[in-house]
Amino acid sequence: MSSTASETDLLAHRQLPNPVLRTLSEILKRHSRLEEKLGELEQALPGVELPRLIDENGASNGKGGEEGIRRALRDVIDPEVGVNVVDLGLIREIRPNGPGVEIRMVLTSPAHPMAVYLVEQVRHKARQAADGEPVEVVLLDEAWQWEDLTPHVHSGGRM
């Protein structure tokens, strides 16, 4: 049997990773390493006291608040499903947490293969929307269901 035929046979039986998935995985790993380095650089800079983004009642101070963060999080796509984390209903709550923000979210599956990537992307996008405020992402132990999709996704609306 030729090597091409055996590779095709193995792919048909899902024993070898799809080359596109392998490439995507490598790109995401590199992106994650860049995000880590960016975080290290941000922490190495002298601390600057930033105004609060959201007050104790969840009201915005004019920089975007919860809605601004939700808008920013629409750029974070769950690669497993191909839909952004807001429209998927993964973001359960955004609330003040000391001088920063806490984001409570769930995953589409407890064994999500890209969990670390998604959490880092949510943290990064939220930090950008929060003008550098500290952001804590808390993964909740809740089951996600298809019914959590926003209504326009159910109806086939564009994101």
Side-chain angles (χ1 to χ4, degrees), residues 7 10-11 18 21 31 36 40-41 55 58 61-63 66 73 79 99 101 104 106 108-109 122-123 125 142 151:
E7 286 177 9
L10 289 173
L11 277 175
N18 181 324
L21 292 177
H31 188 270
E36 288 173 12
E40 291 170 5
L41 287 172
D55 68 17
N61 69 0
K63 293 186 199 171
E66 180 179 348
L73 293 180
V101 177
R104 300 171 67 78
V106 297
T108 53
S109 140
V122 166
R123 182 179 293 115
K125 287 293 185 181
E142 293 178 11

PDB file of all heavy atoms in Angstrom, residues 7 10-11 18 21 31 36 40-41 55 58 61-63 66 73 79 99 101 104 106 108-109 122-123 125 142 151:
ATOM      1  N   GLU A   7      -2.270   7.103   4.283  1.00  0.00           N
ATOM      2  CA  GLU A   7      -2.627   8.353   4.968  1.00  0.00           C
ATOM      3  C   GLU A   7      -4.103   8.668   4.738  1.00  0.00           C
ATOM      4  O   GLU A   7      -4.806   9.076   5.659  1.00  0.00           O
ATOM      5  CB  GLU A   7      -1.767   9.515   4.475  1.00  0.00           C
ATOM      6  CG  GLU A   7      -0.351   9.466   4.993  1.00  0.00           C
ATOM      7  CD  GLU A   7       0.515  10.595   4.445  1.00  0.00           C
ATOM      8  OE1 GLU A   7      -0.026  11.513   3.804  1.00  0.00           O
ATOM      9  OE2 GLU A   7       1.724  10.550   4.676  1.00  0.00           O
ATOM     10  N   LEU A  10      -6.094   6.406   6.901  1.00  0.00           N
ATOM     11  CA  LEU A  10      -6.048   6.827   8.298  1.00  0.00           C
ATOM     12  C   LEU A  10      -6.911   8.061   8.527  1.00  0.00           C
ATOM     13  O   LEU A  10      -7.598   8.169   9.539  1.00  0.00           O
ATOM     14  CB  LEU A  10      -4.604   7.104   8.732  1.00  0.00           C
ATOM     15  CG  LEU A  10      -3.706   5.877   8.882  1.00  0.00           C
ATOM     16  CD1 LEU A  10      -2.268   6.288   9.151  1.00  0.00           C
ATOM     17  CD2 LEU A  10      -4.215   4.985  10.007  1.00  0.00           C
ATOM     18  N   LEU A  11      -6.884   9.011   7.595  1.00  0.00           N
ATOM     19  CA  LEU A  11      -7.720  10.201   7.723  1.00  0.00           C
ATOM     20  C   LEU A  11      -9.192   9.821   7.698  1.00  0.00           C
ATOM     21  O   LEU A  11     -10.001  10.381   8.429  1.00  0.00           O
ATOM     22  CB  LEU A  11      -7.431  11.208   6.612  1.00  0.00           C
ATOM     23  CG  LEU A  11      -6.247  12.129   6.824  1.00  0.00           C
ATOM     24  CD1 LEU A  11      -6.004  12.984   5.589  1.00  0.00           C
ATOM     25  CD2 LEU A  11      -6.450  13.012   8.034  1.00  0.00           C
ATOM     26  N   ASN A  18      -6.447  16.423  10.761  1.00  0.00           N
ATOM     27  CA  ASN A  18      -6.638  17.133   9.510  1.00  0.00           C
ATOM     28  C   ASN A  18      -5.543  18.194   9.403  1.00  0.00           C
ATOM     29  O   ASN A  18      -5.288  18.914  10.356  1.00  0.00           O
ATOM     30  CB  ASN A  18      -8.028  17.776   9.538  1.00  0.00           C
ATOM     31  CG  ASN A  18      -8.343  18.525   8.274  1.00  0.00           C
ATOM     32  OD1 ASN A  18      -7.485  19.147   7.667  1.00  0.00           O
ATOM     33  ND2 ASN A  18      -9.608  18.478   7.909  1.00  0.00           N
ATOM     34  N   LEU A  21      -6.630  21.604  10.580  1.00  0.00           N
ATOM     35  CA  LEU A  21      -6.750  21.711  12.031  1.00  0.00           C
ATOM     36  C   LEU A  21      -5.378  21.799  12.691  1.00  0.00           C
ATOM     37  O   LEU A  21      -5.194  22.540  13.658  1.00  0.00           O
ATOM     38  CB  LEU A  21      -7.527  20.522  12.595  1.00  0.00           C
ATOM     39  CG  LEU A  21      -9.004  20.471  12.237  1.00  0.00           C
ATOM     40  CD1 LEU A  21      -9.628  19.206  12.792  1.00  0.00           C
ATOM     41  CD2 LEU A  21      -9.713  21.699  12.753  1.00  0.00           C
ATOM     42  N   HIS A  31      -0.339  32.520  18.707  1.00  0.00           N
ATOM     43  CA  HIS A  31      -1.092  33.693  19.126  1.00  0.00           C
ATOM     44  C   HIS A  31      -1.176  33.743  20.655  1.00  0.00           C
ATOM     45  O   HIS A  31      -1.025  34.806  21.266  1.00  0.00           O
ATOM     46  CB  HIS A  31      -2.489  33.667  18.508  1.00  0.00           C
ATOM     47  CG  HIS A  31      -3.258  34.914  18.732  1.00  0.00           C
ATOM     48  ND1 HIS A  31      -4.069  35.089  19.814  1.00  0.00           N
ATOM     49  CD2 HIS A  31      -3.311  36.071  18.019  1.00  0.00           C
ATOM     50  CE1 HIS A  31      -4.603  36.277  19.767  1.00  0.00           C
ATOM     51  NE2 HIS A  31      -4.166  36.898  18.686  1.00  0.00           N
ATOM     52  N   GLU A  36       0.556  35.999  25.923  1.00  0.00           N
ATOM     53  CA  GLU A  36       1.246  35.859  27.203  1.00  0.00           C
ATOM     54  C   GLU A  36       2.369  36.876  27.330  1.00  0.00           C
ATOM     55  O   GLU A  36       2.523  37.519  28.366  1.00  0.00           O
ATOM     56  CB  GLU A  36       1.813  34.443  27.348  1.00  0.00           C
ATOM     57  CG  GLU A  36       0.771  33.386  27.574  1.00  0.00           C
ATOM     58  CD  GLU A  36       1.350  31.977  27.536  1.00  0.00           C
ATOM     59  OE1 GLU A  36       2.598  31.817  27.567  1.00  0.00           O
ATOM     60  OE2 GLU A  36       0.553  31.026  27.475  1.00  0.00           O
ATOM     61  N   GLU A  40       2.835  39.923  30.014  1.00  0.00           N
ATOM     62  CA  GLU A  40       4.041  40.115  30.826  1.00  0.00           C
ATOM     63  C   GLU A  40       4.565  41.540  30.679  1.00  0.00           C
ATOM     64  O   GLU A  40       4.973  42.160  31.669  1.00  0.00           O
ATOM     65  CB  GLU A  40       5.126  39.119  30.412  1.00  0.00           C
ATOM     66  CG  GLU A  40       4.807  37.684  30.780  1.00  0.00           C
ATOM     67  CD  GLU A  40       5.774  36.698  30.149  1.00  0.00           C
ATOM     68  OE1 GLU A  40       6.768  37.116  29.501  1.00  0.00           O
ATOM     69  OE2 GLU A  40       5.530  35.480  30.292  1.00  0.00           O
ATOM     70  N   LEU A  41       4.551  42.053  29.450  1.00  0.00           N
ATOM     71  CA  LEU A  41       5.005  43.426  29.228  1.00  0.00           C
ATOM     72  C   LEU A  41       4.102  44.430  29.934  1.00  0.00           C
ATOM     73  O   LEU A  41       4.576  45.397  30.529  1.00  0.00           O
ATOM     74  CB  LEU A  41       5.057  43.741  27.725  1.00  0.00           C
ATOM     75  CG  LEU A  41       6.188  43.088  26.956  1.00  0.00           C
ATOM     76  CD1 LEU A  41       6.013  43.327  25.459  1.00  0.00           C
ATOM     77  CD2 LEU A  41       7.532  43.626  27.419  1.00  0.00           C
ATOM     78  N   ASP A  55     -19.193  50.891  37.706  1.00  0.00           N
ATOM     79  CA  ASP A  55     -19.379  51.080  39.139  1.00  0.00           C
ATOM     80  C   ASP A  55     -20.053  49.852  39.747  1.00  0.00           C
ATOM     81  O   ASP A  55     -20.354  48.883  39.058  1.00  0.00           O
ATOM     82  CB  ASP A  55     -20.135  52.377  39.445  1.00  0.00           C
ATOM     83  CG  ASP A  55     -21.586  52.346  38.985  1.00  0.00           C
ATOM     84  OD1 ASP A  55     -22.121  51.250  38.727  1.00  0.00           O
ATOM     85  OD2 ASP A  55     -22.178  53.434  38.897  1.00  0.00           O
ATOM     86  N   GLY A  58     -23.000  48.339  38.064  1.00  0.00           N
ATOM     87  CA  GLY A  58     -22.856  47.894  36.690  1.00  0.00           C
ATOM     88  C   GLY A  58     -22.991  49.013  35.679  1.00  0.00           C
ATOM     89  O   GLY A  58     -23.012  48.772  34.486  1.00  0.00           O
ATOM     90  N   ASN A  61     -18.887  54.210  33.152  1.00  0.00           N
ATOM     91  CA  ASN A  61     -18.367  55.542  33.430  1.00  0.00           C
ATOM     92  C   ASN A  61     -18.138  56.303  32.131  1.00  0.00           C
ATOM     93  O   ASN A  61     -17.421  57.276  32.102  1.00  0.00           O
ATOM     94  CB  ASN A  61     -17.073  55.452  34.247  1.00  0.00           C
ATOM     95  CG  ASN A  61     -15.919  54.880  33.455  1.00  0.00           C
ATOM     96  OD1 ASN A  61     -16.069  54.539  32.284  1.00  0.00           O
ATOM     97  ND2 ASN A  61     -14.772  54.773  34.074  1.00  0.00           N
ATOM     98  N   GLY A  62     -18.722  55.831  31.045  1.00  0.00           N
ATOM     99  CA  GLY A  62     -18.600  56.537  29.776  1.00  0.00           C
ATOM    100  C   GLY A  62     -17.588  55.901  28.831  1.00  0.00           C
ATOM    101  O   GLY A  62     -17.444  56.309  27.708  1.00  0.00           O
ATOM    102  N   LYS A  63     -16.863  54.874  29.250  1.00  0.00           N
ATOM    103  CA  LYS A  63     -15.866  54.236  28.388  1.00  0.00           C
ATOM    104  C   LYS A  63     -16.403  53.006  27.680  1.00  0.00           C
ATOM    105  O   LYS A  63     -15.667  52.330  27.011  1.00  0.00           O
ATOM    106  CB  LYS A  63     -14.657  53.831  29.211  1.00  0.00           C
ATOM    107  CG  LYS A  63     -13.887  54.968  29.765  1.00  0.00           C
ATOM    108  CD  LYS A  63     -12.667  54.415  30.424  1.00  0.00           C
ATOM    109  CE  LYS A  63     -12.077  55.401  31.391  1.00  0.00           C
ATOM    110  NZ  LYS A  63     -11.039  54.814  32.176  1.00  0.00           N
ATOM    111  N   GLU A  66     -20.381  47.621  30.410  1.00  0.00           N
ATOM    112  CA  GLU A  66     -20.716  46.237  30.067  1.00  0.00           C
ATOM    113  C   GLU A  66     -21.006  46.086  28.577  1.00  0.00           C
ATOM    114  O   GLU A  66     -20.527  45.146  27.938  1.00  0.00           O
ATOM    115  CB  GLU A  66     -21.925  45.772  30.882  1.00  0.00           C
ATOM    116  CG  GLU A  66     -22.322  44.356  30.560  1.00  0.00           C
ATOM    117  CD  GLU A  66     -23.504  43.843  31.355  1.00  0.00           C
ATOM    118  OE1 GLU A  66     -23.911  44.498  32.329  1.00  0.00           O
ATOM    119  OE2 GLU A  66     -24.016  42.775  30.988  1.00  0.00           O
ATOM    120  N   LEU A  73     -16.223  41.592  22.853  1.00  0.00           N
ATOM    121  CA  LEU A  73     -16.182  40.132  22.932  1.00  0.00           C
ATOM    122  C   LEU A  73     -16.835  39.463  21.720  1.00  0.00           C
ATOM    123  O   LEU A  73     -16.638  38.272  21.496  1.00  0.00           O
ATOM    124  CB  LEU A  73     -16.838  39.641  24.224  1.00  0.00           C
ATOM    125  CG  LEU A  73     -16.093  40.007  25.504  1.00  0.00           C
ATOM    126  CD1 LEU A  73     -16.833  39.478  26.727  1.00  0.00           C
ATOM    127  CD2 LEU A  73     -14.656  39.520  25.481  1.00  0.00           C
ATOM    128  N   PRO A  79     -13.663  28.623  17.925  1.00  0.00           N
ATOM    129  CA  PRO A  79     -13.268  27.925  16.696  1.00  0.00           C
ATOM    130  C   PRO A  79     -13.963  26.574  16.519  1.00  0.00           C
ATOM    131  O   PRO A  79     -14.066  26.085  15.405  1.00  0.00           O
ATOM    132  CB  PRO A  79     -11.752  27.754  16.849  1.00  0.00           C
ATOM    133  CG  PRO A  79     -11.453  27.944  18.277  1.00  0.00           C
ATOM    134  CD  PRO A  79     -12.551  28.780  18.858  1.00  0.00           C
ATOM    135  N   PRO A  99     -11.036  47.186  41.279  1.00  0.00           N
ATOM    136  CA  PRO A  99     -10.816  48.238  40.286  1.00  0.00           C
ATOM    137  C   PRO A  99     -11.044  47.760  38.854  1.00  0.00           C
ATOM    138  O   PRO A  99     -10.957  48.536  37.919  1.00  0.00           O
ATOM    139  CB  PRO A  99      -9.341  48.593  40.487  1.00  0.00           C
ATOM    140  CG  PRO A  99      -8.733  47.323  40.959  1.00  0.00           C
ATOM    141  CD  PRO A  99      -9.790  46.650  41.806  1.00  0.00           C
ATOM    142  N   VAL A 101     -12.820  44.268  36.276  1.00  0.00           N
ATOM    143  CA  VAL A 101     -14.041  43.634  35.792  1.00  0.00           C
ATOM    144  C   VAL A 101     -13.903  42.120  35.932  1.00  0.00           C
ATOM    145  O   VAL A 101     -12.833  41.561  35.715  1.00  0.00           O
ATOM    146  CB  VAL A 101     -14.266  43.995  34.304  1.00  0.00           C
ATOM    147  CG1 VAL A 101     -15.492  43.298  33.752  1.00  0.00           C
ATOM    148  CG2 VAL A 101     -14.365  45.481  34.111  1.00  0.00           C
ATOM    149  N   ARG A 104     -17.966  36.225  33.864  1.00  0.00           N
ATOM    150  CA  ARG A 104     -18.339  34.855  34.188  1.00  0.00           C
ATOM    151  C   ARG A 104     -18.842  34.215  32.901  1.00  0.00           C
ATOM    152  O   ARG A 104     -19.730  34.734  32.252  1.00  0.00           O
ATOM    153  CB  ARG A 104     -19.387  34.844  35.288  1.00  0.00           C
ATOM    154  CG  ARG A 104     -18.846  35.528  36.557  1.00  0.00           C
ATOM    155  CD  ARG A 104     -19.897  35.754  37.609  1.00  0.00           C
ATOM    156  NE  ARG A 104     -20.407  34.539  38.200  1.00  0.00           N
ATOM    157  CZ  ARG A 104     -19.802  33.808  39.136  1.00  0.00           C
ATOM    158  NH1 ARG A 104     -18.622  34.178  39.588  1.00  0.00           N
ATOM    159  NH2 ARG A 104     -20.353  32.727  39.618  1.00  0.00           N
ATOM    160  N   VAL A 106     -19.200  30.285  30.411  1.00  0.00           N
ATOM    161  CA  VAL A 106     -19.219  28.828  30.306  1.00  0.00           C
ATOM    162  C   VAL A 106     -18.584  28.449  28.978  1.00  0.00           C
ATOM    163  O   VAL A 106     -18.345  29.305  28.129  1.00  0.00           O
ATOM    164  CB  VAL A 106     -20.661  28.268  30.393  1.00  0.00           C
ATOM    165  CG1 VAL A 106     -21.291  28.581  31.725  1.00  0.00           C
ATOM    166  CG2 VAL A 106     -21.524  28.779  29.252  1.00  0.00           C
ATOM    167  N   THR A 108     -18.729  25.571  25.582  1.00  0.00           N
ATOM    168  CA  THR A 108     -19.690  24.724  24.881  1.00  0.00           C
ATOM    169  C   THR A 108     -19.577  23.267  25.304  1.00  0.00           C
ATOM    170  O   THR A 108     -20.513  22.501  25.127  1.00  0.00           O
ATOM    171  CB  THR A 108     -19.501  24.811  23.352  1.00  0.00           C
ATOM    172  OG1 THR A 108     -18.139  24.528  23.047  1.00  0.00           O
ATOM    173  CG2 THR A 108     -19.898  26.179  22.833  1.00  0.00           C
ATOM    174  N   SER A 109     -18.436  22.907  25.874  1.00  0.00           N
ATOM    175  CA  SER A 109     -18.213  21.541  26.330  1.00  0.00           C
ATOM    176  C   SER A 109     -17.204  21.574  27.471  1.00  0.00           C
ATOM    177  O   SER A 109     -16.253  22.351  27.424  1.00  0.00           O
ATOM    178  CB  SER A 109     -17.696  20.710  25.157  1.00  0.00           C
ATOM    179  OG  SER A 109     -16.694  19.821  25.531  1.00  0.00           O
ATOM    180  N   VAL A 122     -10.919  36.171  25.577  1.00  0.00           N
ATOM    181  CA  VAL A 122     -11.935  36.945  26.292  1.00  0.00           C
ATOM    182  C   VAL A 122     -11.249  37.959  27.210  1.00  0.00           C
ATOM    183  O   VAL A 122     -11.617  39.139  27.236  1.00  0.00           O
ATOM    184  CB  VAL A 122     -12.882  36.013  27.088  1.00  0.00           C
ATOM    185  CG1 VAL A 122     -13.712  36.791  28.097  1.00  0.00           C
ATOM    186  CG2 VAL A 122     -13.782  35.242  26.126  1.00  0.00           C
ATOM    187  N   ARG A 123     -10.238  37.513  27.941  1.00  0.00           N
ATOM    188  CA  ARG A 123      -9.518  38.417  28.846  1.00  0.00           C
ATOM    189  C   ARG A 123      -8.867  39.565  28.069  1.00  0.00           C
ATOM    190  O   ARG A 123      -8.976  40.738  28.448  1.00  0.00           O
ATOM    191  CB  ARG A 123      -8.458  37.647  29.636  1.00  0.00           C
ATOM    192  CG  ARG A 123      -7.692  38.504  30.635  1.00  0.00           C
ATOM    193  CD  ARG A 123      -6.662  37.722  31.441  1.00  0.00           C
ATOM    194  NE  ARG A 123      -7.336  36.779  32.316  1.00  0.00           N
ATOM    195  CZ  ARG A 123      -7.241  35.456  32.230  1.00  0.00           C
ATOM    196  NH1 ARG A 123      -6.473  34.904  31.309  1.00  0.00           N
ATOM    197  NH2 ARG A 123      -7.889  34.672  33.057  1.00  0.00           N
ATOM    198  N   LYS A 125      -9.546  40.809  24.948  1.00  0.00           N
ATOM    199  CA  LYS A 125     -10.505  41.730  24.331  1.00  0.00           C
ATOM    200  C   LYS A 125     -11.194  42.591  25.387  1.00  0.00           C
ATOM    201  O   LYS A 125     -11.426  43.782  25.178  1.00  0.00           O
ATOM    202  CB  LYS A 125     -11.555  40.970  23.516  1.00  0.00           C
ATOM    203  CG  LYS A 125     -11.022  40.405  22.241  1.00  0.00           C
ATOM    204  CD  LYS A 125     -10.657  41.516  21.278  1.00  0.00           C
ATOM    205  CE  LYS A 125     -10.223  40.943  19.951  1.00  0.00           C
ATOM    206  NZ  LYS A 125      -9.840  41.985  19.012  1.00  0.00           N
ATOM    207  N   GLU A 142     -21.359  25.178  34.525  1.00  0.00           N
ATOM    208  CA  GLU A 142     -22.735  25.086  34.037  1.00  0.00           C
ATOM    209  C   GLU A 142     -22.707  24.437  32.665  1.00  0.00           C
ATOM    210  O   GLU A 142     -21.762  24.620  31.918  1.00  0.00           O
ATOM    211  CB  GLU A 142     -23.363  26.476  33.877  1.00  0.00           C
ATOM    212  CG  GLU A 142     -23.594  27.218  35.148  1.00  0.00           C
ATOM    213  CD  GLU A 142     -24.182  28.607  34.888  1.00  0.00           C
ATOM    214  OE1 GLU A 142     -24.588  28.893  33.735  1.00  0.00           O
ATOM    215  OE2 GLU A 142     -24.214  29.396  35.831  1.00  0.00           O
ATOM    216  N   PRO A 151     -31.233  35.100  19.988  1.00  0.00           N
ATOM    217  CA  PRO A 151     -32.341  34.865  19.044  1.00  0.00           C
ATOM    218  C   PRO A 151     -31.974  35.081  17.575  1.00  0.00           C
ATOM    219  O   PRO A 151     -32.415  34.327  16.726  1.00  0.00           O
ATOM    220  CB  PRO A 151     -33.406  35.875  19.492  1.00  0.00           C
ATOM    221  CG  PRO A 151     -33.120  36.089  20.936  1.00  0.00           C
ATOM    222  CD  PRO A 151     -31.622  35.985  21.076  1.00  0.00           C
TER     223      PRO A 151
END
